[in-house]
Amino acid sequence: MSAQEFAPGLVIQRFTPPLKLTDFKLIAFDMDSTLINIECVDEIADAAGRKAEVAAITEAAMRGEIADYKESLRRRVTLLKGVPVSAMQQVLDQRLQLNPGAEELVRACKAVGMKVLLVSGGFTFFTDRVRDCLGIDFTRSNVLEVQDGELTGRMVDQPWGDICDGEEKRKMFLATCAQLGIKPSQGIAMGDGANDLPMMGEAGLSVAYHAKPKVREQAMVAINTGGLDRLLEVVR
């Protein structure tokens, strides 16, 4: 079916609502600008006086204008060299907030037995806190290297690889489905940037949240106004 505005600020494409939440067993979220209100790397860069420079790279990457996400992230992390861990703690304490409807949507999903996955091109310093706050079951994100209480400008390789980019998000989504013994079509994937498209393309339901144009165009549902819990208007 062609795109239609199901309700103000809620665009439906390629399927007829409503679906049942019980049709799904997993929901996967991006973190920065999806589950939370900020791009953490940009806010860390603010402490180094480099927010404008880093934010410009982030915006281009999220719009899909930079083909190599890993290289774009390495460039941004290099610019964080020398930022104290205390500055990251300030971002966590003073700037990071869950986006509207995050708690409500996660609660509704868990109430019907769904598992929750957080996959982020961001950093464990923040994903671990969001995981604990929302009771998220699985996470994958990047580790910033720290020496003497300061960022080195590098990331730490992990057993699964070096950087959680779009392809790694896709792999983690599929691996989590396999671990749960479900089909990818029984999963929902929500994101806002181009690096979310690979996992969104595997999911039974893909949802763009206040997303970049390229992501809105390819998602089955686009939430353009209001909170994350607006998905519950479509999937009940």
Side-chain angles (χ1 to χ4, degrees):
M1 62 179 293
S2 59
Q4 62 171 320
E5 191 164 51
F6 181 66
L10 189 62
V11 178
I12 306 298
Q13 304 179 113
R14 294 191 294 280
F15 75 91
T16 303
L19 296 174
K20 295 179 182 178
L21 203 57
T22 51
D23 292 336
F24 300 95
K25 303 298 182 185
L26 174 70
I27 186 165
F29 293 99
D30 168 54
M31 183 177 72
D32 295 63
S33 299
T34 300
L35 264 187
I36 66 173
N37 64 320
I38 58 173
E39 293 285 339
C40 291
V41 67
D42 298 355
E43 301 306 317
I44 300 169
D46 198 21
R50 293 171 173 161
K51 183 174 181 178
E53 184 178 359
V54 170
I57 301 172
T58 300
E59 176 70 12
M62 293 302 98
R63 293 178 69 90
E65 295 164 2
I66 296 177
D68 190 338
Y69 178 85
K70 288 188 178 184
E71 183 56 31
S72 80
L73 186 58
R74 289 189 188 101
R75 284 170 58 195
R76 285 175 281 167
V77 170
T78 297
L79 294 170
L80 306 181
K81 183 177 180 179
V83 172
V85 172
S86 60
M88 291 203 295
Q89 188 64 46
Q90 286 183 334
V91 171
L92 183 64
D93 294 340
Q94 300 174 13
R95 303 188 186 187
L96 188 153
Q97 297 178 2
L98 295 174
N99 269 330
E103 291 177 287
E104 291 83 356
L105 178 55
V106 170
R107 188 183 307 120
C109 290
K110 291 176 80 72
V112 296
M114 293 174 66
K115 297 296 185 182
V116 184
L117 167 64
L118 174 57
V119 278
S120 175
F123 312 113
T124 53
F125 187 89
F126 302 100
T127 57
D128 287 355
R129 275 63 171 191
V130 173
R131 174 199 66 199
D132 294 346
C133 177
L134 291 173
I136 289 171
D137 301 289
F138 311 98
T139 63
R140 178 146 295 176
S141 56
N142 303 303
V143 178
L144 290 168
E145 186 179 68
V146 176
Q147 290 181 0
D148 301 321
E150 294 184 348
L151 299 182
T152 65
R154 297 185 296 269
M155 287 171 283
V156 179
D157 287 354
Q158 299 180 72
W160 48 262
D162 55 355
I163 291 175
C164 186
D165 62 352
E167 178 59 18
E168 185 58 38
K169 289 186 177 191
R170 184 187 76 86
K171 288 180 181 177
M172 183 60 179
F173 175 79
L174 292 175
T176 305
C177 289
Q179 182 178 341
L180 295 173
I182 65 172
K183 299 175 182 178
S185 60
Q186 294 174 286
I188 300 171
M190 298 188 72
D192 73 298
N195 65 328
D196 297 314
L197 287 172
M199 73 164 178
M200 290 170 67
E202 297 285 354
L205 180 63
S206 58
V207 185
Y209 180 73
H210 293 222
K212 305 305 181 190
K214 183 177 181 180
V215 183
R216 291 200 304 268
E217 291 165 6
Q218 295 187 39
M220 297 177 186
V221 177
I223 300 172
N224 299 323
T225 62
L228 287 156
D229 57 337
R230 293 207 67 189
L231 180 60
L232 300 175
E233 296 176 33
V234 181
V235 185
R236 301 170 183 168

